[in-house]
Amino acid sequence: MKLKNKVAIVTGASKGIGASIARYYGAAGAKVVVNYATSKEGADKVVKAITDNGGTAIAVQGDVSKEADINRLFAATQEAFGGLDILVNNAGIYEYLPIEQVSAESFHQQFNINVLGPILAIQAALKLFGDKGGNIINISSAASKFAMATGSVYSASKAALDTITVALSKELGVKNVRINSLLPGSVETEGTHTTGVMGSEFEKQLIANTPLGRIGQPEDIAKVAVFLASDDSAWMTGELITASGGIYGF
Ligand code: NAP
């Protein structure tokens, strides 16, 4: 129960890595706000899994790239749980395109959700953290450090997020706010199935280049996210933590 009575928002928690983090936080004793954009059914399932396990959770819809939705998400958190201790900026999208096919629309969509979203959420979180401070975990990607072909915009968005982590660790330490980036390698999620990574030649290459010899599972990331949210990491801020089975590009 390392997060007993802490209040946590996990953005994009209706599926994949975010859903697993929400479940692990619930099992660790946190009161969890399960944010989603479109998948109410997925978010309700995550809430049910947490409450069936004796935990506390609510689902709140909101597109993280829209300021009005962020305000609604944080107001709902305040109303349900009276404050906030942990923010996990997990909501994110990835699109792999050769540079010739990158459109302004695709650029803005990835940057709006992967970069602007966390900025808006952090601004709102600071108001709820108050004087006691808080803890922010940005779900980045190993792709921020080893950019791969066709991932120029996605990798750039996650590199921007990492830079925000480092800058804000210096800005927010005085407010007793910790902020770290967690960089997953490839993880089997609804997203990596939809985008065709799973079952592809690319997946085989990923596994061949991963020292631990497999694709990650959401739980591999969720366990590290519990560590970063708990007092076990109390002396860590501004860190970029990779959890990737050891893969370092290819
Ligand atoms: P996923 O399976 O595609 O799930 C994405 C989640 O984000 C869903 O819950 C989705 O909500 C939510 N979401 C998308 N746009 C949103 C928005 N505008 N506002 C609020 N929520 C939004 O994704 P995933 O693979 O678990 O990835 C999660 C995070 O990990 C992302 O930041 C991704 O970049 C990062 N990551 C993933 C991998 C990987 O291999 N899977 C590797 C490195 C980093 P709805 O379903 O309700 O629309």
Side-chain angles (χ1 to χ4, degrees):
M1 300 296 273
K2 290 190 179 233
L3 305 180
K4 196 166 167 38
N5 290 330
K6 300 283 186 197
V7 178
I9 294 177
V10 184
T11 67
S14 59
K15 293 183 186 135
I17 293 171
S20 188
I21 292 174
R23 286 201 181 103
Y24 269 74
Y25 279 14
K31 298 169 191 167
V32 189
V33 179
V34 175
N35 162 252
Y36 66 99
T38 58
S39 311
K40 182 176 187 317
E41 202 185 324
D44 287 344
K45 248 192 230 166
V46 174
V47 168
K48 186 170 182 319
I50 293 170
T51 52
D52 283 355
N53 196 29
T56 306
I58 57 168
V60 182
Q61 192 279 335
D63 178 339
V64 296
S65 66
K66 295 186 176 149
E67 204 165 353
D69 286 24
I70 286 283
N71 290 339
R72 199 163 36 74
L73 169 65
F74 283 76
T77 303
Q78 173 71 20
E79 197 184 316
F81 300 130
L84 181 69
D85 302 289
I86 301 156
L87 167 67
V88 181
N89 283 313
N90 166 80
I93 56 166
Y94 29 93
E95 192 168 30
Y96 291 91
L97 291 171
I99 190 64
E100 294 85 351
Q101 290 173 30
V102 170
S103 62
E105 191 192 353
S106 160
F107 169 86
H108 287 304
Q109 207 186 8
Q110 290 185 78
F111 268 76
N112 281 349
I113 296 174
N114 298 357
V115 185
L116 178 61
I119 289 173
L120 295 174
I122 289 166
Q123 288 175 330
L126 291 174
K127 293 180 193 151
L128 292 204
F129 286 162
D131 291 342
K132 71 174 178 8
N135 193 338
I136 300 163
I137 296 147
N138 288 329
I139 304 299
S140 171
S141 171
S144 75
K145 290 204 287 194
F146 56 85
M148 288 189 282
T150 73
S152 55
V153 175
Y154 175 62
S155 286
S157 74
K158 294 299 188 177
L161 185 59
D162 288 346
T163 303
I164 288 166
T165 294
V166 175
L168 291 187
S169 70
K170 295 172 183 170
E171 207 168 314
L172 300 179
V174 69
K175 294 180 195 264
N176 200 25
V177 173
R178 297 197 291 121
I179 178 166
N180 293 288
S181 273
L182 171 49
L183 286 61
S186 282
V187 178
E188 182 176 7
T189 63
E190 285 85 340
T192 48
H193 274 282
T194 309
T195 52
V197 172
M198 299 308 299
S200 68
E201 197 50 43
F202 181 51
E203 184 201 358
K204 286 188 194 139
Q205 287 175 11
L206 287 167
I207 292 172
N209 285 280
T210 300
L212 293 182
R214 64 173 174 84
I215 289 283
Q217 291 299 315
E219 299 71 36
D220 293 319
I221 308 307
K223 290 173 191 170
V224 185
V226 171
F227 167 71
L228 288 175
S230 78
D231 277 350
D232 287 348
S233 59
W235 196 227
M236 294 170 65
T237 193
E239 299 290 351
L240 314 180
I241 314 290
T242 305
S244 69
I247 189 171
Y248 201 77
F250 57 92

